[in-house]
Amino acid sequence: MSTDYLILGARLLGEEPADLVLRDGVIASLGADTAHPRDGVELVTVDADGLLALPGLVDLHTHLREPGREDTETVLTGSRAAAAGGFTAVHAMANTTPVADTAGVVEQVHRLGIDAGYVDVRPVGAVSVGLEGTRLAELGAMASSAAGVRVFSDDGHCVDDPVLMRRALEYVKSFDGVIAQHAQEPRLTVGAQMHEGVVSAELGLAGWPAVAEESIIARDILLAEHVGSRLHVCHLSTAGSVDIVRWAKARGIDVTAEVTPHHLLLTDEQARSYDPRYKVNPPLRTAEDVEAVRAGLADGTIDVVATDHAPHAAEDKDCEWPAGAFGMTGLETALPVVQATMVETGRLTWADVARVLSTTPARIGRVSGQGRPVAVGEPANLTLVDPAARRRVEPAAQVTRSRNTPFAGTELPGRVVATFLRGRATVYDGAPVAHEEVNA
Amino acid sequence: MAGMPTREVLTASDISRSLTRIAHEILERNHGSERVTVLGIPTRGVPLARRIGERLAHTEGGAEIPVGSLDVTMYRDDLRGQPTRTLQRTDLPEPGIDDRIVVLVDDVLYSGRTIRAALDALGDLGRPAAVQLAVLVDRGHRELPIRADFVGKNLPTAATERVDVHLTEIDDVPDAVTISGGEAH
Amino acid sequence: MRHLLSTAELTRDEAVRILDTAEAMAATQGRSIKKLPTLRGRTVVNLFFEDSTRTRISFEAAAKRLSADVLNFSAKGSSVSKGESLKDTALTLQAMGIDAVVIRHHDSGAPHRLAHSGWIDVPVLNAGDGTHQHPTQALLDAFTLRRHLSADGETPAPEDTALDGASVVIVGDVLHSRVARSNVSLLHTLGARVTVVAPPTLLPVGIEPWPCEVRYDLDEALAEAVPDAVMMLRVQRERMTSAGGFFPSPHEYHRRYGLDGERLARLPERCVVMHPGPMNRGLEISAEAADSPRSTIVEQVGNGVAVRMAALYLLLAGEEGIA
């Protein structure tokens, strides 16, 4: 039996309260009118007084770890965590085992996403075979597969060979794809452990210079201009990178950029604990860099916030820093961190949040039916958020299978109360809906 | 438990007379000062040893009396469970302690554990002909079979009482021995 | 002080107290019976993930002279080389009821993790971690220098003194040197003026806040600093070729940054030559400098035992470490 939802008094994008009816997968009506029960259809009324309604969030950068590391996350657990964070679509990165560099693997991930049913799982295809940076993967085959891949990335590795990068940028034009580059000059970061600066000098941890990121971004921007392709910059993290992207946009180059929640909040000072929970690629940078990426996000230089959700096993974090794995979980804390760093500081409105966490990432990923306006006739992909809630992050209480959140013990604002994927609740009353119901 | 007020049990002149008497007893016992080396146990044993040494020298007509210090901290058996003790100086005067009559000097003899540690420390440093013990105050409550050869004053005390020795060299106040604390009568 | 992880964590009073305690320990080491009963019944583990026979033996001698039982746990041939994690090793040691861990590790921060991750609840003594810190080396250097500032290097230094006004020049591979990091902060804490000299490739980016002057030219630095001590850091020959090459050739390094006979002759008369060992003769130091009467290299080794005894005493003898 299907369900209609009558949502009462939600503030659309943080503005005036309105009532919404979700029916047959779309927003059936909007405004003060009330829904009338239909035969054979349950009508659930949601009191959304004080809650925000945002379009379902879209993540351009998620590691779901399946296939290969199902001990840390699966498509099911990761997409459920995504729903709990207010997402209705995620892009699953290609660095799985086996690598998502063939139509077969991306179709498998795509299928697992459908089976899970919590969010639209959009596989990202590898740029190069095996992420090895030497030969192009079959990008066209992945694009025309059932997964319909549009975003290609060797994330975790940089496509550092300039010729291969040029070819990739050119090649994906034929199916409107985009190369999402993990910008990291490998020779400048051999053995690197953390941002290179005052803190690394003191801690004796091998430094990761900002220029290793910036030089690749600059090169790629010039390549994209030269061949007339679009480029997406993953997890930009330095003030210099913001400047370079700002310059490129002023020049009219088709480049987009993302920043992660953790780079909006945390700095390299965290490394003083030598706790690998703070070890991430690209590394946490300085307070000046944090300010620069916030400013870049506020002025539109940075287009989107993407989580780079990277679950890891406990043993890969409960160890010495250099032995630890790079990466942090982020799906369930992304919106709270954006609220804390950007909304509560007055730098973004909730409409801007909808833009950077939904509309623009959906556009960059060419995800149809996501990131749409909250309007009658649009797909009913929505998240309801209580912005007044404040919660201390408890790793064990998170939905993701892994515990490596850098925000453990931190109090963050906002709480996702409900998420709807095409009119069906994936999260309700603050908790994920059971898989059998979501997938019914 | 109501604390008793602090009372002075030895005055400066009492202390001075006691040390003079101890010096004389040392000479009498050892038939002179010829083989005597005086070692004070830090902290307050050290100035007491020096004062006894001066009295010995004076009585012996200006003879050189070797005086030094012996820190026993590293030989204590009660280091655990307490804040770490700062090590003090061990200063063995020429001609060392082999075949000497070593007179150990401490301010208060109580459980005897400090002296036990001092005997162990001496054993690692050489082989004296004899070891004797001089204390300004013996307050009883021994936990080991140890007794003093020379005692300035026997002071029966309760375990709850506190005996404090004040010496000008260390404490910058006039010499005195006081008792405080303990049960009210 | 519950652990000894970094000289940057030491206050001046704590550092002076360690040096004074080391003098008391050194005084016992001239005797025929060197062993003290102080740590009888306590067990110290030498947990060495990186080969260093010198440092391990020095710690072992220090612990044994305080009558502690010593367990040597070296990575080679143990479960560690079979992939056991530091955490599991720590849990094993904890279960065995040990009283302190001396750890040497190739990873910067490993001792810090061991001390602060809740894997173990005994004092942790850092015997060198990656390119981070080697606090007992810096303490023994300060101990050696303090003796030379007050007298001839053999006479105990006066109690409660620091290194105020001393000028120390540290030369060499600062980037990869835990000895340099430990010394810069400790020498500064003790009141010395520190100059570090190295080719720019061997200085860390982000050195600016360090409490020292940074120079590229050794001759200028020696002329201006008028040093009381020159500390030569070990330079590994592999640095010539690794990661793009930090310097072009051993010959060029020696010419520009080595302590040769000519530079030795120009040092002020009181200036001593220090080196943490092991030396690369002909690279950072010439045989002439290494073997000169100004060299404290052998003294440093001897003082190392006294300093490590002091550290073990202060961390282990009382219940709460230094009061």
Side-chain angles (χ1 to χ4, degrees):
Chain A
M1 178 173 127
S2 71
T3 306
D4 292 351
Y5 288 93
L6 170 60
I7 299 167
L8 296 173
R11 291 161 51 219
L12 303 186
L13 305 181
E15 301 297 323
E16 291 307 303
D19 301 339
L20 297 93
V21 176
L22 312 186
R23 177 179 293 161
D24 297 333
V26 298
I27 298 171
S29 69
L30 188 62
D33 61 355
T34 49
H36 302 289
R38 296 189 292 167
D39 286 346
V41 178
E42 184 188 11
L43 178 67
V44 173
T45 302
V46 180
D47 177 9
D49 185 29
L51 305 185
L52 301 169
L54 298 175
L57 309 183
V58 177
D59 191 13
L60 261 184
H61 196 142
T62 315
H63 296 274
L64 292 178
R65 300 296 187 222
E66 188 177 6
R69 283 306 299 268
E70 292 82 356
D71 59 317
T72 60
E73 199 81 284
T74 64
V75 172
L76 174 62
T77 62
S79 58
R80 187 159 53 203
F87 290 89
T88 51
V90 300
H91 288 76
M93 275 296 170
N95 61 339
T96 48
T97 314
V99 172
D101 58 359
T102 60
V105 178
V106 294
E107 285 189 348
Q108 180 201 358
V109 172
H110 179 67
R111 167 51 49 196
L112 288 167
I114 292 168
D115 291 347
Y118 283 97
V119 298
D120 289 344
V121 174
R122 299 274 300 169
V124 173
V127 173
S128 66
V129 174
L131 307 175
E132 285 171 358
T134 50
R135 272 188 309 130
L136 284 184
E138 288 186 349
L139 309 182
M142 291 188 274
S144 47
S145 74
V149 175
R150 290 294 176 274
V151 179
F152 297 89
S153 180
D154 274 1
D155 181 65
H157 300 267
C158 180
V159 181
D160 62 309
D161 177 347
V163 177
L164 187 72
M165 186 62 184
R166 171 190 173 151
R167 299 291 176 240
L169 286 167
E170 289 174 312
Y171 195 77
V172 299
K173 283 202 284 186
S174 65
F175 39 81
D176 197 22
V178 64
I179 304 298
Q181 173 73 294
H182 171 117
Q184 176 191 355
E185 161 53 49
R187 285 285 289 156
L188 284 173
T189 50
V190 174
Q193 295 293 325
M194 67 172 293
H195 174 69
E196 184 170 41
V198 166
V199 182
S200 68
E202 187 181 329
L203 297 185
L205 288 171
W208 189 305
V211 63
E213 172 176 314
E214 294 155 0
S215 59
I216 293 292
I217 294 175
R219 181 201 74 177
D220 288 352
I221 281 169
L222 296 174
L223 281 174
E225 179 182 37
H226 180 64
V227 299
S229 297
R230 65 186 179 114
L231 167 72
H232 179 69
V233 179
C234 294
H235 43 52
L236 170 160
S237 69
T238 76
S241 298
V242 176
D243 286 342
I244 292 164
V245 171
R246 192 176 282 128
W247 172 86
K249 288 190 164 179
R251 207 173 151 94
I253 301 170
D254 193 1
V255 57
T256 54
E258 74 190 30
V259 63
T260 70
H262 43 273
H263 288 110
L264 286 171
L265 186 55
L266 304 174
T267 69
D268 60 347
E269 291 290 331
Q270 306 287 343
R272 291 185 186 280
S273 66
Y274 286 105
D275 186 337
R277 273 192 308 141
Y278 302 110
K279 182 174 173 177
V280 65
N281 176 352
L284 300 175
R285 305 287 188 180
T286 68
E288 291 73 37
D289 294 306
V290 167
E291 172 50 33
V293 293
R294 289 184 185 185
L297 183 60
D299 71 16
T301 302
I302 296 172
D303 303 84
V304 307
V305 173
T307 65
D308 197 5
H309 176 80
H312 283 294
E315 63 269 23
D316 291 325
K317 287 293 186 180
D318 198 10
C319 59
E320 311 86 285
W321 180 285
F326 289 102
M328 308 169 160
T329 60
L331 286 168
E332 294 161 76
T333 44
L335 188 59
V337 170
V338 170
Q339 183 180 340
T341 58
M342 302 302 292
V343 179
E344 293 185 352
T345 55
R347 301 180 97 151
L348 290 185
T349 63
W350 285 107
D352 293 328
V353 171
R355 172 171 53 80
V356 302
L357 269 166
S358 178
T359 314
T360 307
R363 183 172 51 74
I364 293 169
R366 303 295 192 248
V367 190
S368 60
Q370 295 278 356
R372 302 293 305 163
V374 181
V376 173
E378 293 289 351
N381 298 319
L382 283 178
T383 186
L384 298 179
V385 178
D386 176 6
R390 297 194 77 84
R391 287 194 300 175
R392 199 166 292 282
V393 177
E394 301 284 354
Q398 291 198 318
V399 177
T400 169
R401 183 164 276 183
S402 291
R403 300 282 170 264
N404 56 304
T405 170
F407 306 112
T410 307
E411 192 181 86
L412 290 173
R415 173 170 174 264
V416 170
V417 175
T419 305
F420 298 93
L421 177 64
R422 284 181 288 278
R424 193 189 280 267
T426 56
V427 172
Y428 195 78
D429 255 352
V433 172
H435 181 219
E436 311 78 66
E437 287 180 45
V438 168
N439 202 27
Chain B
M1 188 177 83
M4 292 288 286
T6 301
R7 59 203 157 91
E8 184 169 281
V9 289
L10 288 182
T11 64
S13 53
D14 292 337
I15 291 171
S16 176
R17 275 193 298 277
S18 294
L19 294 178
T20 304
R21 176 171 51 73
I22 287 173
H24 281 103
E25 287 174 7
I26 290 171
L27 292 174
E28 197 174 324
R29 165 84 70 91
N30 298 307
H31 310 292
S33 65
E34 198 186 337
R35 294 163 67 203
V36 170
T37 289
V38 185
L39 295 181
I41 297 173
T43 305
R44 287 178 184 72
V46 176
L48 292 175
R50 208 169 293 128
R51 293 190 202 180
I52 289 171
E54 284 162 8
R55 283 163 168 80
L56 291 174
H58 179 73
T59 313
E60 291 284 278
E64 279 281 315
I65 307 294
V67 176
S69 61
L70 178 70
D71 182 42
V72 305
T73 308
M74 285 186 278
Y75 293 84
R76 300 193 76 96
D77 61 4
D78 58 354
L79 291 171
R80 296 176 80 159
Q82 300 190 32
T84 306
R85 289 168 180 262
T86 299
L87 301 184
Q88 309 280 339
R89 287 179 65 88
T90 289
D91 180 18
L92 296 189
E94 288 300 322
I97 60 168
D98 286 349
D99 293 321
R100 301 286 297 178
I101 296 164
V102 172
V103 178
L104 293 174
V105 181
D106 204 358
D107 53 351
V108 178
L109 179 59
Y110 187 27
S111 67
R113 289 177 188 273
T114 301
I115 305 306
R116 200 275 310 152
L119 293 172
D120 286 351
L122 277 181
D124 280 358
L125 290 166
R127 189 180 180 284
V131 181
Q132 297 165 1
L133 175 62
V135 296
L136 181 60
V137 171
D138 181 350
R139 60 170 295 193
H141 304 285
R142 212 76 74 241
E143 294 166 4
L144 295 170
I146 280 169
R147 64 162 182 79
D149 300 273
F150 315 105
V151 178
K153 171 89 173 168
N154 280 300
L155 271 183
T157 57
T160 50
E161 286 174 321
R162 182 187 160 93
V163 175
D164 284 301
V165 175
H166 306 277
L167 298 175
T168 49
E169 295 95 321
I170 306 277
D171 305 297
D172 225 11
V173 294
D175 289 352
V177 175
T178 60
I179 293 186
S180 54
E183 303 288 343
H185 291 290
Chain C
M1 193 172 80
R2 164 106 169 108
H3 308 285
L4 180 57
L5 302 174
S6 162
T7 55
E9 295 170 355
L10 293 176
T11 65
R12 181 182 165 109
D13 285 349
E14 283 171 339
V16 168
R17 188 172 189 207
I18 295 170
L19 299 183
D20 285 347
T21 304
E23 283 290 5
M25 294 298 176
T28 67
Q29 297 308 295
R31 305 176 186 166
S32 53
I33 297 174
K34 295 182 172 62
K35 201 174 170 91
L36 299 161
T38 318
L39 298 182
R40 198 165 51 197
R42 322 292 299 269
T43 303
V44 175
V45 173
N46 282 331
L47 185 55
F48 275 54
F49 289 83
E50 193 181 71
D51 279 339
S52 173
T53 309
R54 295 161 155 263
T55 305
R56 186 181 57 73
I57 286 178
S58 183
F59 269 106
E60 186 168 347
K64 285 183 169 168
R65 286 183 190 171
L66 290 169
S67 299
D69 292 319
V70 178
L71 301 179
N72 284 309
F73 195 117
S74 71
K76 275 200 179 139
S78 74
S79 51
V80 171
S81 59
K82 295 171 191 134
E84 185 176 84
S85 69
L86 178 60
K87 178 182 176 177
D88 287 330
T89 305
L91 295 177
T92 303
L93 296 175
Q94 175 84 352
M96 288 162 63
I98 55 140
D99 296 294
V101 179
V102 174
I103 177 174
R104 171 93 152 205
H105 203 288
H106 42 79
D107 286 341
S108 299
H112 183 98
R113 284 293 276 166
L114 189 61
H116 295 295
S117 297
W119 303 334
I120 204 165
D121 66 358
V122 299
V124 175
L125 225 152
N126 181 1
D129 64 326
T131 57
H132 178 222
Q133 282 270 330
H134 192 358
T136 57
Q137 177 69 45
L139 285 161
L140 77 88
D141 290 342
F143 179 93
T144 305
L145 185 55
R146 192 172 77 147
R147 282 186 162 190
H148 277 276
L149 291 175
S150 64
D152 55 0
E154 285 177 27
T155 313
E159 274 183 25
D160 210 18
T161 56
L163 303 175
D164 295 297
S167 169
V168 180
V169 175
I170 301 175
V171 189
D173 184 359
V174 177
L175 177 63
H176 301 99
S177 177
R178 51 195 174 209
V179 176
R181 282 176 181 77
S182 307
N183 263 305
V184 167
S185 51
L186 182 65
L187 290 167
H188 171 74
T189 299
L190 290 171
R193 191 155 45 82
V194 184
T195 307
V196 303
V197 187
T201 48
L202 291 175
L203 290 168
V205 165
I207 198 174
E208 300 77 23
W210 290 19
C212 62
E213 200 181 323
V214 177
R215 309 292 300 242
Y216 304 142
D217 187 301
L218 178 57
D219 292 309
E220 279 178 23
L222 291 177
E224 283 173 32
V226 197
D228 297 285
V230 177
M231 205 175 271
M232 304 306 296
L233 300 173
R234 176 176 166 78
V235 176
Q236 294 180 323
R237 283 175 199 273
E238 310 89 86
R239 302 283 180 225
M240 200 176 77
T241 47
S242 66
F246 291 93
F247 52 90
S249 72
H251 184 68
E252 174 156 327
Y253 184 88
H254 184 67
R255 202 168 50 218
R256 293 174 68 84
Y257 295 99
L259 187 61
D260 56 17
E262 201 184 311
R263 290 191 174 111
L264 182 72
R266 273 189 275 128
L267 294 177
E269 195 173 349
R270 64 171 188 281
C271 180
V272 294
V273 173
M274 309 180 82
H275 193 294
M279 288 180 280
N280 284 305
R281 289 174 185 250
L283 186 51
E284 72 268 8
I285 191 164
S286 68
E288 190 180 354
D291 299 332
S292 85
R294 295 156 172 270
S295 160
T296 62
I297 293 159
V298 177
E299 266 172 57
Q300 285 169 270
V301 175
N303 294 340
V305 176
V307 164
R308 288 169 180 131
M309 287 173 77
L312 288 169
Y313 171 77
L314 292 170
L315 290 175
L316 269 172
E319 207 69 2
E320 297 293 328
I322 294 178

